[in-house]
Each structure stands twice: as structure tokens, then as C-alpha cells.
């Protein structure tokens, strides 16, 4: 009958898929593929942390037709075979974190019930097919990030009225942001590291009333002023416009915002001062204005933002002065980066109260005085950058207590003493790098960088270590999480599979 023919065809299709994508030689797990069991039993059950169970491999509907393929991180290679177009009941595909190449086959336009399509972090290329917007009308999640897709956004995309998540990050797409204005129901939009163009103004958020996260960093956006209405959006929790060409001043914020958690405007051309109204961002956790041309002083209003945990202001020509005392009120700070901001004075005594600090960066300034012993006793400090200042005197004892240190930069100062206590006590521990002037500091485990070596340890945070200075803000799991859409394995379906496969408990 017709059902038997369809199941025979789909078994053939999945056999083609198996061999076309490197099975069994390259696959990490086989998930019963090519076994004698029924096609719908080609999966491995996996328990999730929340107690749910998902099927890694294939899942079928009640008519035993393949409708879902979930196989991330399985070292799939090769390209998607055109035969997959015969899986006409497909509505879920998750093949992220594999090594697939080629393009998305045009035959997949037959998947008219498709809701979730995730092929992030592969090697796929070519244009985004125009038929996605024409045929996949039920699509809710489209995740193509970190591939080699190129070209423009198909005009048909505006017909995806159910689309909630669009992830195109790290591709080679060149188009105008306005091409997406028809997608009014979007909640998660990731366009970073492409070549999107457009002017950032009061119309930028037009039609994006439901956005929760918006990342369009490292594109080609321009603008004369960053609009205030973006910072007063009623639902946005994440805003990342970093590494674009936005000029003008930081906007005055006229309404209290208790929604925004993450704001990055780093690497633009902003000028002027940071307004005192910055404390209107009441619940913000992460604020990054580094790499602009902002001047004046950092407003004391920042000290009224008790939930701020990550503050990056490096590489701005602020007025000369000591490390602002209002930072002492921000006891939740985990990362404080003030490199290249014309700081002077000493490291203040209140630094000993910053028990949550993981990163403290005051490099490339004019700070002086001794390195305080209290730095070694900060329990979570892992990254300490004091290089290229005017610190002097002997290093304090107790450095062996800094057991969480991963990066310690002391070069281009006038510091003497030794770090032998650290080298002996922490031999083989997790420290990644110490750089110091070995003519002045005795250290068996240091990389040496003398004062006369002018190019030594230049731009270490971008070159020498490739260190990621943005804190590890994780995009919310449910934006892409397969178990949310996939759901648990239906026990009744499992019993049905046991029956058709001849498997008995």
C-alpha cells in the first residue's frame, strides 16, 4: 500500500543520508542507523538535565513517517543529499556543529511543514534559497549562523509570518537591514559579522516590537546619533551594535528601563560624555562602550546601578584622573576594564572589597604607586592587567594565594621583587600566562618582556592570547533549544516502534 511504499522510500533516503554524510566511518554515534530495526527506531534516547528525554537520530509521526532529525555534534561530513526532499513530513531538522559542506538542496522546498531548521556551525555555502520564504510558511526558527552563506536576503522572507528566531551570524551576507522589516513577529535576531548596511536612526526598530535579543555587531551600519528609542524598547533584553560606524553622542535616556540586561556599543565612533541618565538602565548587567572617542568623566550615576556586573570602557580619551571611587559601591562587579582611559593615581584601598572581581584591567594608563597585597587575596580574580603604567616598588608577598589567576601582566612598569612563590606554589595549575620584566622581577614561570623591547606584548588581548574580552553572555537557551520544540519522546510512540521493529522488553 501507499504507506508501505512511503516507508520504503524513506528508509532508502536515510540510507543515502547515512553514507553521504560520512557514516559509519566519520560519525561519532551511529544511533542504530542501517540496523535491521524499523526506520523509526533509528534513534538513541538521551536524558536531559530537566528530566525530559529526546531522541537523537530520527523521530516519526503516528503514521511512521520521518518528521524530525536531531543529530548535532556527530561529525557529519559531505553534503546534504537531494534525496532528502522525499521526506515530505519533515518539520524539524537540527544538524548543528557538524562538518557539512555544499548548499541547501532545492529539493528541500517540499518540506512545507518545516518549523525548525538549524544547521549552525557547519561549512555550508551559497545563497539563502528564495523558496524558504515561499514554501516554509510555518517556519519558526531559522538558524544558519557560522557558515559561508552569501548573497542577499530573499525578498520572499517577509512572508515568514511565524518566524520567531533568525540567526544569520558569521556569514557573508550583504544586504540592507530594511529587508527584514516585514518580520514583525521576530523575537531573536542575530545578524552579526556580516555586511548588513543601513542608517541607525529612529526607524531602525520599526516593525521589531517583539524583539528580545538583537545582535547586529560587526556589520556596516552608520548613523549620526544612537537613537534613544532603542534604549527604551519595551522588550529588548540584549542590544549589540558594536563594531559598526555609529557616530554622535551617547543618548540621554528619558525613561526608566527595567528590561535591558546587555548593551554593547563598543568599537564605534561615539563622542562626547556619558550622560548621568545612564542609571535609568536600572537592571543592566553588561555595559560596553570601549573603543570609542568618549571624553569627560564617567558619571557617578554609574554607582547607582547595583546590578551592573560587567563594565568595559577601555580605549576612550576620558579626562585624566584616578579610578572613580563610586566603583567601590558596585560590589557585584565581575569585570572592570579601564585600559587606555588616562587613569592616574594609585590602586585604591577599596579594591579589597571587590570580592566578585574576575577581571581587573587598568593597563595602558599612568597609574603609579605599589601593587597592593589585597589583589592577591581577591578570591575570584583570574585576569589582572597592570602593564604599561608607572607602578613601582617591590611586589607584595602572598602572590601564592592567587590560585585562580590565569593571566597576569606586569610588564612596562618599574616593579621589582619576585614571583618565585607563585611559580613554586602553583606549578602546573591553571595559570595561562604571566608577563613581566625579568630584568626587574625574578620569575621562573614568566614570559619576559623588558622595557627596551618596545613591541613586546603589544595588543595581547587581541593577538597574543586571543582572549575574549566580552563576558560569556549566553544567548538564551530556548531561542534554539531543540528539546523545547522537540519535546520528550512519546512513550506510546516508543512502544509502537518496539512492535514494528520486533523488539520486546
Amino acid at each position: 500500500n501507499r504507506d508501505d511504499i512511503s516507508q520504503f522510500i524513506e528508509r532508502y533516503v536515510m540510507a543515502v543520508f547515512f553514507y553521504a554524510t560520512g557514516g559509519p566511518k566519520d560519525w561519532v554515534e551511529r544511533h542504530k542507523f542501517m540496523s535491521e530495526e524499523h526506520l523509526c527506531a533509528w534513534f538513541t534516547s538521551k536524558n536531559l538535565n530537566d528530566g525530559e528525554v529526546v531522541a537523537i537520530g530520527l523521530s516519526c509521526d503516528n503514521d511512521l513517517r520521518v518528521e524530525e532529525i536531531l543529530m548535532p555534534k556527530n561529525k557529519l561530513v559531505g553534503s546534504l543529499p537531494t534525496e532528502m526532499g522525499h521526506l515530505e513530513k519533515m518539520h524539524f531538522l537540527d544538524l548543528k556543529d557538524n562538518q557539512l559542506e555544499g548548499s541547501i538542496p532545492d529539493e528541500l522546498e517540499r518540506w512545507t511543514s518545516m518549523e525548525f531548521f538549524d544547521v549552525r556551525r557547519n561549512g555550508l555555502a551559497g545563497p539563502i534559497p528564495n523558496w524558504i520564504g515561499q514554501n516554509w510558511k510555518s517556519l519558526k526558527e531559522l538558524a544558519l549562523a557560522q557558515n559561508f552563506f552569501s548573497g542577499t536576503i530573499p525578498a520572499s522572507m517577509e512572508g515568514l509570518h511565524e518566524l520567531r528566531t533568525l540567526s544569520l551570524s558569521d556569514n557573508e551576507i550583504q544586504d540592507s537591514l530594511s529587508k527584514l522589516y516585514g518580520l514583525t513577529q521576530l523575537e531573536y535576531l542575530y545578524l552579526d559579522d556580516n555586511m548588513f548596511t543601513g542608517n541607525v536612526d529612529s526607524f531602525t526598530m520599526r516593525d521589531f516590537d517583539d524583539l528580545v535579543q538583537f545582535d547586529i555587531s560587526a556589520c556596516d551600519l552608520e548613523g549620526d546619533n544612537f537613537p534613544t528609542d532603542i534604549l527604551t524598547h519595551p522588550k529588548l533584553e540584549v542590544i549589540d551594535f558594536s563594531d559598526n560606524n555609529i557616530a554622535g553622542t551617547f543618548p540621554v535616556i528619558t525613561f526608566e528601563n527595567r528590561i535591558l540586561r546587555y548593551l554593547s556599543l563598543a568599537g564605534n565612533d561615539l563622542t562626547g560624555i556619558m550622560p548621568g541618565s545612564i542609571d535609568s538602565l536600572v537592571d543592566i548587567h553588561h555595559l560596553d562602550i570601549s573603543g570609542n572617542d568618549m571624553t569627560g568623566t564617567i558619571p557617578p550615576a554609574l554607582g547607582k546601578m547595583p546590578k551592573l556586573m560587567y563594565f568595559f570602557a577601555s580605549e576612550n580619551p576620558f579626562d585624566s584622573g584616578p579610578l572613580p571611587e563610586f566603583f567601590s559601591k558596585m560590589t557585584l562587579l565581575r569585570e572592570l576594564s579601564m585600559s587606555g582611559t588616562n587613569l592616574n593615581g594609585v590602586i585604591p584601598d577599596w579594591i579589597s572589597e571587590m570580592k566578585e572581581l574576575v577581571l581587573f584591567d587598568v593597563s595602558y594608563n599612568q597609574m603609579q604607586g605599589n601593587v597592593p597585597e589585597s589583589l592577591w587575596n581577591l578570591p575570584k580574580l583570574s585576569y589582572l592587567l597592570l602593564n604599561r603604567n608607572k607602578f613601582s616598588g617591590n611586589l607584595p608577598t602572598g602572590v601564592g594565594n592567587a590560585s585562580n589567576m590565569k593571566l597576569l601582566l606586569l610588564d612596562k612598569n618599574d616593579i621589582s621583587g619576585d614571583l618565585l612563590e607563585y611559580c613554586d606554589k602553583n606549578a602546573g595549575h591553571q595559570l595561562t600566562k604571566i608577563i613581566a620584566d625579568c630584568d626587574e622581577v625574578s620569575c621562573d614561570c614568566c614570559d619576559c618582556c623588558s622595557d627596551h623591547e618596545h613591541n613586546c606584548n603589544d595588543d595581547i588581548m587581541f593577538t597574543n592570547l586571543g582572549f575574549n574580552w566580552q563576558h560569556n553572555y549566553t544567548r538564551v537557551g530556548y531561542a534554539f533549544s531543540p528539546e523545547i520544540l522537540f519535546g520528550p519522546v512519546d512513550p506510546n510512540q516508543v512502544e509502537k516502534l518496539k512492535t514494528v521493529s520486533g523488539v520486546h522488553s
Side-chain angles (χ1 to χ4, degrees), residues 191-195 215-220 240-244:
L191 306 176
D192 46 298
D193 288 291
N194 281 286
M195 291 171 279
D215 187 349
I216 193 167
S217 59
C219 286
D220 293 321
D240 193 343
F241 279 74
S242 60
D243 297 316
N244 280 287

Side-chain angles (χ1 to χ4, degrees), residues 25-96:
K25 180 171 66 74
D26 293 301
W27 283 26
V28 176
E29 297 288 343
R30 192 158 178 165
H31 302 301
K32 302 180 186 176
F33 269 64
M34 306 310 297
S35 69
E36 294 183 357
E37 297 185 42
H38 189 277
L39 172 68
C40 295
W42 290 4
F43 67 87
T44 303
S45 297
K46 180 179 179 181
N47 293 311
L48 303 177
N49 293 332
D50 60 4
E52 290 192 20
V53 181
V54 296
I56 308 297
L58 306 183
S59 285
C60 297
D61 62 15
N62 290 329
D63 296 321
L64 301 180
R65 301 286 300 277
V66 175
E67 63 175 0
E68 299 170 341
I69 301 175
L70 173 61
M71 207 173 301
K73 297 182 181 180
N74 205 43
K75 291 189 178 180
L76 274 61
V77 298
S79 58
L80 297 175
T82 59
E83 287 85 351
M84 293 182 73
H86 291 289
L87 305 175
E88 295 178 353
K89 300 296 183 178
M90 281 286 294
H91 70 85
F92 182 103
L93 178 78
D94 185 345
L95 299 178
K96 63 176 175 286

Side-chain angles (χ1 to χ4, degrees), residues 147 363 403 424 432 501:
N147 283 282
S363 60
S403 58
D424 292 342
T432 302
S501 305

Side-chain angles (χ1 to χ4, degrees), residues 223-279:
D224 295 329
N225 280 291
F226 193 79
T228 303
D229 61 341
I230 294 181
L231 299 183
T232 56
H233 189 282
K235 294 184 180 180
L236 267 176
E237 296 177 4
V238 176
I239 300 173
D240 193 343
F241 279 74
S242 60
D243 297 316
N244 280 287
N245 303 298
I246 303 169
T249 58
F250 195 101
V252 174
I253 306 165
T254 55
F255 298 98
E256 188 177 83
N257 185 333
R258 292 187 174 273
I259 302 298
L260 189 62
R261 303 289 185 269
Y262 179 110
L263 173 63
S264 179
L265 299 177
N268 281 286
D269 300 312
L270 297 177
T271 58
I273 64 172
M274 176 180 285
S277 61
I278 188 67
D279 62 357

Side-chain angles (χ1 to χ4, degrees), residues 27 33 46 49 57 167 210 260 281 349 381 458 475 490 494:
W27 283 26
F33 269 64
K46 180 179 179 181
N49 293 332
S167 177
D210 291 328
L260 189 62
L281 305 178
D349 293 339
L381 190 63
D458 276 352
R475 291 169 178 166
D490 184 350
V494 173

Side-chain angles (χ1 to χ4, degrees), residues 272-276 278 289 294-302 311 313 316-324 326-327 338 341-343:
I273 64 172
M274 176 180 285
I278 188 67
I289 57 169
M294 299 182 71
T295 54
T297 60
I298 298 174
L302 207 69
F311 181 62
N316 280 286
F318 293 119
D319 293 351
S320 297
L323 199 63
F326 58 75
F327 281 129
M338 296 287 291
T341 54
N342 292 320
L343 288 177

